[in-house]
Amino acid sequence: MVGSSHEALHRIFQKDPALLTRALQKVLHVPFPEPREIAALNVDLTEIEPVERRVDTLLRAETDEGTYLLVVESQGKVDDRKRGSWPYYLSYLYEKYRCEPVLIVITQSSATAKWASQPIRLGFPGWDSLTVRPLVLGPDNVPVITDERQAERDVPLAVLSAMTHGRGRQAPAILESLATALRTIDPDSAAVFVQFVDSCLTDTQAKQMWRDLMTAIQYFWRHPLAEQVREEGREQGLEQGLEQGLEQGRIQDRQEMTLRILEWRGISVPEAVRERVEACTDLDRLETWAQRAVHATDAAELFAEE
């Protein structure tokens, strides 16, 4: 089970290795050759006791131009120790595999991305013995995907977008478009992506919205993490409603989600609007209202054309 944003940020490339080369080509505009084959390798770079060193994700990409080792590091904050460990990883991997290593750093922090993108130069001024230039994926270059069709065209990239940008006012549109796109792929892959996103959402309101969306389409509840959420629900008296009938649980979830999205986006919810939403038992109508809540500028817009 994926239990942290650090793990999810690099493991998404294990789930879909081709996403990494697309990110290099389309996000960072690096002319990386199209791989014929990508394989995951052992991430343990331990030499002999007592030193143990591990990269987060290690992939081997076979291309027409040669074989490359793609070293993916998930970085949560500035860590000057990487000035020594990253060059070590690359040197060790080249010595072991005799393939060109490429370092890719992924982060949710703009400040960390700026730090990580700085070249690591070892040697004396004017004559570098070794220079390491990480390729960095972060909030400033990973696209913000809020369009459902765009999300459907490249679901893994939409997942990466949600993992990187899933906070603030743009989060509802990002998560809603991704939720729709997940319906278009096989359930097992979708369930794994759901976990990745859930692990990376640090904003409590965004996380709750994501779980509301996933509960409605039953992906989230397939994971061990769901038991923890169900336990929280029992403490709040919510589990009883789910046990009484999935249909009633879905209705309640959609009602709460619609109002929560409006409140989260800073839109005032008049009592009349709240009462109308809470009185509605039509799932299709509630689904429409929830989608409108993502883009509405006024609570009354939920009921447009009705």
Side-chain angles (χ1 to χ4, degrees):
M1 184 181 73
V2 178
S4 69
S5 61
H6 175 276
E7 195 172 359
L9 279 170
H10 71 84
R11 280 188 56 186
I12 186 175
F13 298 113
Q14 297 177 12
K15 172 62 180 173
D16 187 348
L19 172 63
L20 186 56
T21 57
R22 293 201 301 278
L24 293 178
Q25 295 164 353
K26 298 179 180 179
V27 178
L28 298 179
H29 305 293
V30 174
F32 191 84
E34 193 66 33
R36 294 191 306 271
E37 178 186 355
I38 297 182
L41 303 180
N42 191 335
V43 299
D44 189 349
L45 304 186
T46 305
E47 293 188 71
I48 303 175
E49 295 183 0
V51 179
E52 179 178 324
R53 298 184 188 272
R54 293 177 183 269
V55 297
D56 289 331
T57 286
L58 180 61
L59 305 169
R60 181 177 60 213
E62 303 284 351
T63 78
D64 291 336
E65 299 178 18
T67 301
Y68 296 90
L69 298 176
L70 304 180
V71 185
V72 185
E73 285 283 279
S74 175
Q75 194 67 29
K77 60 183 180 179
V78 173
D79 183 356
D80 288 330
R81 291 176 300 176
K82 298 297 183 180
R83 177 178 169 82
S85 58
W86 283 345
Y88 171 85
Y89 295 162
L90 301 181
S91 299
Y92 175 85
L93 288 169
Y94 181 78
E95 177 64 22
K96 181 176 181 178
Y97 294 100
R98 290 296 168 175
C99 300
E100 300 293 341
V102 180
L103 174 62
I104 300 102
V105 178
I106 180 165
T107 180
Q108 294 174 293
S109 164
S110 293
T112 302
K114 182 178 180 180
W115 162 79
S117 64
Q118 298 300 311
I120 300 172
R121 305 183 189 278
L122 302 180
F124 62 86
W127 193 275
D128 301 331
S129 298
L130 176 65
T131 301
V132 175
R133 297 177 60 196
L135 294 166
V136 182
L137 291 166
D140 298 326
N141 53 22
V142 172
V144 176
I145 298 179
T146 58
D147 179 75
E148 293 176 3
R149 292 184 179 180
Q150 184 182 0
E152 290 174 2
R153 284 195 296 269
D154 194 337
V155 175
L157 184 59
V159 173
L160 184 61
S161 176
M163 291 162 60
T164 308
H165 301 287
R167 65 181 70 181
R169 293 183 176 272
Q170 60 192 354
I174 294 173
L175 299 179
E176 183 75 27
S177 64
L178 176 57
T180 300
L182 287 175
R183 300 172 189 261
T184 66
I185 64 175
D186 70 276
D188 289 337
S189 293
V192 174
F193 287 145
V194 167
Q195 248 196 91
F196 287 162
V197 174
D198 189 85
S199 296
C200 286
L201 293 175
T202 56
D203 184 293
T204 55
Q205 290 180 310
K207 185 183 287 285
Q208 185 58 55
M209 177 188 174
W210 181 242
R211 292 181 176 181
D212 287 341
L213 288 167
M214 294 302 99
T215 298
I217 55 179
Q218 302 185 65
Y219 283 145
F220 178 72
W221 299 93
R222 300 173 57 184
H223 295 286
L225 180 60
E227 181 57 36
Q228 173 186 338
V229 178
R230 283 196 287 270
E231 183 61 33
E232 295 172 359
R234 292 187 189 100
E235 296 175 0
Q236 299 171 8
L238 299 179
E239 186 69 8
Q240 181 179 0
L242 292 174
E243 292 172 352
Q244 289 174 348
L246 181 60
E247 185 76 6
Q248 182 58 39
R250 287 178 175 174
I251 290 172
Q252 182 179 347
D253 287 336
R254 285 295 168 173
Q255 291 170 343
E256 294 176 353
M257 182 175 68
T258 301
L259 297 173
R260 187 181 294 118
I261 292 173
L262 290 173
E263 293 169 349
W264 182 27
R265 296 181 61 229
I267 297 174
S268 176
V269 181
E271 191 61 30
V273 171
R274 185 179 300 276
E275 290 176 355
R276 184 169 176 180
V277 171
E278 292 176 346
C280 181
T281 57
D282 185 325
L283 267 176
D284 290 338
R285 179 169 294 179
L286 286 168
E287 173 73 27
T288 299
W289 290 352
Q291 293 176 359
R292 289 175 180 171
V294 174
H295 305 287
T297 57
D298 185 275
E301 293 179 18
L302 294 183
F303 316 125
E305 303 176 5
E306 294 183 10

